Amino acid sequence: MLSEALQRNANHEARLSNIFGCDLSAVNESQRFLIARNDRTSWPFTENLYNLPMPESKPLVAVIMGSKSDWHTMRNAVETLDELGVPNEARVLSAHRTPDATAEFARGAADRGLRVVIAGAGGAAHLAGVIAAHTWLPVLGVPIQSKLQGLDSLLSTAQMPGGIPVGTLAIGEAGAKNAALLAAAILATSDDTLRQKLEAFRRKQSETVLATKLPR
């Protein structure tokens, strides 16, 4: 059993190296998490009664980012969705570097059961717009901080031509978190359980603010 576990772990390490196209020492823990949470085959441990992956749920929300460096921002969307119990997936796609793969993803998103797409990109941030051009699903854009403080990202995401809407959120981490909350709100219009979770989230948020004590 130990040798089997070691072999699975070796396969897991090799898969990460292959996905990121670099030596595994260059892959940080955030990037490992991003891959492992989307791929049950990468589970590195021997499964037993006390050590099992989480049950697989069909994702309803996709969190897409233009590069792996955007994960620092976009993980806020994933973590918020996870907190609310919304099944989701996360992956890297580039409007410019992987145009065919991005279009293919967008065209097939609805048929795979996705109901909302969150797309974060920086600079010439065309990712959300390109995805919106290929799907009828609601697309929420998150502008990533850039050398121009994210203003270029914001304008690139928000200034869509009439007929191809992108719901654009705030720049950076707040935008990523709010994109997840907005996606959950969209889903909650037909899901009473999720609506109750959102209402509980709001109540807890209000209670935290009201309980704040200022130094004197």
Side-chain angles (χ1 to χ4, degrees):
M1 182 171 288
L2 178 59
S3 61
E4 182 183 350
L6 291 173
Q7 183 59 50
R8 288 194 184 194
N9 189 62
N11 292 341
H12 171 69
E13 303 287 287
R15 185 175 181 84
L16 287 176
S17 295
N18 181 61
I19 288 170
F20 283 105
C22 62
D23 184 80
L24 194 61
S25 61
V27 179
N28 63 37
E29 289 304 313
S30 294
Q31 293 158 358
R32 288 170 183 251
F33 171 76
L34 174 61
I35 294 302
R37 74 183 305 278
N38 288 328
D39 182 10
R40 288 177 63 119
T41 64
S42 69
W43 186 252
F45 308 111
T46 300
E47 296 178 11
N48 56 50
L49 181 62
Y50 306 104
N51 183 22
L52 290 171
M54 292 294 289
E56 188 173 10
S57 299
K58 194 173 185 179
L60 297 176
V61 179
V63 179
I64 310 300
M65 59 211 78
S67 69
K68 63 185 180 183
S69 63
D70 297 334
W71 175 243
H72 177 74
T73 297
M74 299 306 294
R75 70 181 303 163
N76 292 274
V78 170
E79 290 169 358
T80 301
L81 291 168
D82 287 345
E83 180 181 350
L84 293 170
V86 178
N88 63 87
E89 64 181 25
R91 63 184 299 185
V92 174
L93 287 170
S94 170
H96 305 119
R97 295 184 294 273
T98 62
D100 293 337
T102 301
E104 181 181 1
F105 161 81
R107 293 189 187 109
D111 289 340
R112 290 200 298 113
L114 291 170
R115 290 297 172 258
V116 184
V117 178
I118 298 173
H126 300 142
L127 182 60
V130 167
I131 291 174
H134 292 287
T135 182
W136 57 264
L137 294 175
V139 177
L140 307 178
V142 179
I144 303 293
Q145 278 282 0
S146 65
K147 293 180 179 178
L148 299 179
Q149 287 75 52
L151 292 177
D152 48 348
S153 312
L154 175 63
L155 293 175
S156 296
T157 304
Q159 291 297 104
M160 291 295 294
I164 307 293
V166 168
T168 306
L169 283 300
I171 298 169
E173 296 179 11
K177 180 175 182 176
N178 283 343
L181 291 171
L182 185 53
I186 292 170
L187 296 173
T189 59
S190 58
D191 185 330
D192 286 340
T193 300
L194 182 54
R195 175 180 58 79
Q196 292 169 10
K197 289 181 180 180
L198 275 173
E199 289 174 342
F201 175 89
R202 291 288 189 95
R203 284 195 299 271
K204 181 179 178 181
Q205 187 172 246
S206 297
E207 291 166 0
T208 299
V209 172
L210 293 173
T212 301
K213 303 295 182 182
L214 297 177
R216 301 185 65 177

